[in-house]
Amino acid sequence: RRFFADRSRVQVGCGARQLGKDFGSAGKATAQALGDGATWYIVSLTQRQADATFEKCKFWAKRWKLVYDELTSTHSGTDADTGDQFTYNARELILPGGGRVVSLPGRNPDALAGFSGNVIFTEFGLFPDGGYKHWRVVFPLTTKGFQEVVISTPRGKNSKFYELVNASARYIVHFTNIAGAVA
């Protein structure tokens, strides 16, 4: 819940495998895009991995659409027609108010230059060269008010992800191990 509600510029999610880091990040991106019309980019090492998280965004959008339809029909007294307001194609989700979620491959950090919006780096601990080049390209977006969400399982000490996890005085780090998840 704390991770989902976090709106700080840099958020680091470190946890054991299969705890729902991608699911929570997808929910966070979809809810915020719906709420404030923001654009979110899901960046993973491969397009396949980014698309897997994007599928979770579509899951969340379908649930938000049900809530949106219910609230709209309750306030207007008629059934809502949101058919053209929650749309998606293979790699882009478009929400009411103009919010978007886009799935991108991240192998080449220079391909990310020029994008403006919030970014989710998924499985950042696996990025080439420790993710340092990707960080240098995307981090400046946070100075423009955008959020950078970095999630992964621990993958050793020679990476930007390791540095971020251990920089809790500078960044918000959400850590969940197996015991914490069970509790």
Side-chain angles (χ1 to χ4, degrees):
R1 279 185 248 155
R2 187 174 67 99
F3 172 73
F4 198 88
D6 190 351
R7 299 284 195 266
S8 56
R9 290 186 322 155
V10 177
Q11 304 152 45
V12 182
C14 179
R17 296 184 68 214
Q18 300 300 311
L19 291 182
K21 295 180 296 296
D22 284 285
F23 186 73
S25 297
K28 171 194 233 14
T30 306
Q32 285 187 33
L34 184 59
D36 63 13
T39 297
W40 281 83
Y41 297 101
I42 301 167
V43 180
S44 193
L45 190 55
T46 66
Q47 185 68 62
R48 184 186 62 75
Q49 288 174 314
D51 288 347
T53 303
F54 181 73
E55 286 299 316
K56 293 170 178 67
C57 290
K58 290 190 323 190
F59 170 89
W60 279 98
K62 290 174 185 172
R63 277 40 185 196
W64 285 116
K65 182 182 182 310
L66 294 173
V67 172
Y68 190 83
D69 287 348
E70 180 65 27
L71 290 174
T72 305
S73 67
T74 300
H75 290 345
S76 68
T78 62
D79 287 339
D81 180 19
T82 57
D84 61 343
Q85 296 180 14
F86 285 83
T87 60
Y88 57 87
N89 59 37
R91 298 197 169 104
E92 182 177 25
L93 172 65
I94 302 168
L95 300 162
R100 298 181 325 139
V101 181
V102 181
S103 169
L104 298 170
R107 185 162 296 281
N108 179 1
D110 293 329
L112 303 174
F115 287 107
S116 291
N118 304 297
V119 176
I120 296 172
F121 278 125
T122 179
E123 289 302 339
F124 194 59
L126 295 175
F127 275 58
D129 301 318
Y132 291 97
K133 291 178 183 176
H134 290 80
W135 184 259
R136 280 193 294 271
V137 169
V138 174
F139 181 72
L141 290 174
T142 64
T143 64
K144 302 284 187 192
F146 296 110
Q147 296 175 53
E148 191 167 340
V149 177
V150 182
I151 59 174
S152 189
T153 53
R155 300 287 184 169
K157 296 182 178 182
N158 193 18
S159 70
K160 185 63 182 179
F161 184 70
Y162 179 81
E163 288 181 17
L164 294 171
V165 168
N166 289 287
S168 58
R170 189 165 179 196
Y171 303 115
I172 303 298
V173 178
H174 303 273
F175 181 79
T176 307
N177 59 19
I178 295 279
V182 170

